[in-house]
Amino acid sequence: ALHEVTDIFPATSLYHFAFEVVGVGTAVETTGEVKLGVYAVLDDRSKGSVDNRMTVDDGATLKVDGDVTIGDNGGGNRVTVSGGASLWAQKGIVVGRGSAGNVLAVCGGTVSNLTGNSDFKIGSASSGNALVVDGGAIKWHWNFYTGNNSATSPGGNAIAVVNGGTIDVESTFYLFGPDNALAVTNGTLSANKIQLPHTNDGDTSP
């Protein structure tokens, strides 16, 4: 069954929000955006809600026509795509915008953007965020960043590709800033161009 909604994000005062899309044949399409960890106090966007969860599992599909933001000034948010499920993002995905401890876990599921010219970012002006691809797959049409587009980007963001997981980037994969980490163990990272590490002055030396 296809369920259409406009946006998916918890109310501004809500914490520990949980949203699940589960089951073969279950499909949710949002014409807007998906945000976890949105500012918790109305008129104060510096304080985001925390510890929110979204799960796409067991062959279900979530199609997002807007952006997906996991941690928008609020930390400790997690999205899991597992069990053959799919998250299809028309625009960009950000894991951690001005917040820490946010996670996107792709465990036997698929995350894809096949046509849009929007970026995938792990840590946007923030640190301590993670992408885990464990036996799952990410297929991304545009650029893929860990850290900001800056040599002084906050560090401590991490990507792990394990147990047959794959990340396939049709454009450029960047690693910016200090102490951002990439680990590929029994997995695959491929891109049209890979710059590791990368700074804004063009220095790509180890």
Side-chain angles (χ1 to χ4, degrees):
L2 174 63
H3 307 276
E4 295 185 354
V5 297
T6 302
D7 298 291
I8 300 173
F9 52 85
T12 55
S13 61
L14 187 64
Y15 294 76
H16 309 295
F17 168 83
F19 181 83
E20 294 185 346
V21 183
V22 179
V24 175
T26 300
V28 172
E29 178 175 355
T30 169
T31 57
E33 59 187 336
V34 171
K35 283 188 176 184
L36 297 185
V38 185
Y39 55 96
V41 180
L42 195 63
D43 299 327
D44 186 354
R45 295 182 180 236
S46 66
K47 300 177 181 179
S49 63
V50 299
D51 296 331
N52 303 290
R53 301 288 183 267
M54 185 172 74
T55 301
V56 189
D57 192 19
D58 192 23
T61 299
L62 174 60
K63 181 180 179 182
V64 182
D65 291 341
D67 294 312
V68 177
T69 306
I70 306 166
D72 190 6
N73 289 322
N77 303 286
R78 183 182 181 94
V79 171
T80 302
V81 184
S82 56
S86 299
L87 169 60
W88 190 91
Q90 172 64 29
K91 294 187 178 179
I93 293 179
V94 178
V95 182
R97 174 182 286 142
S99 58
N102 302 290
V103 177
L104 171 58
V106 186
C107 306
T110 302
V111 173
S112 61
N113 174 314
L114 301 180
T115 58
N117 293 339
S118 295
D119 299 324
F120 195 123
K121 297 180 179 180
I122 310 299
S124 178
S126 59
S127 61
N129 302 288
L131 168 66
V132 178
V133 185
D134 185 349
I138 295 178
K139 176 74 173 180
W140 201 255
H141 178 67
W142 205 238
N143 294 319
F144 203 107
Y145 296 92
T146 305
N148 278 6
N149 187 358
S150 170
T152 59
S153 168
N157 301 291
I159 296 177
V161 186
V162 299
N163 298 326
T166 62
I167 297 178
D168 183 7
V169 181
E170 293 186 11
S171 189
T172 304
F173 182 99
Y174 296 98
L175 186 66
F176 284 109
D179 302 323
N180 291 307
L182 168 67
V184 180
T185 305
N186 296 322
T188 303
L189 167 64
S190 61
N192 182 55
K193 184 177 181 180
I194 298 177
Q195 297 202 18
L196 303 172
H198 185 83
T199 65
N200 62 357
D201 61 1
D203 179 12
T204 58
S205 59

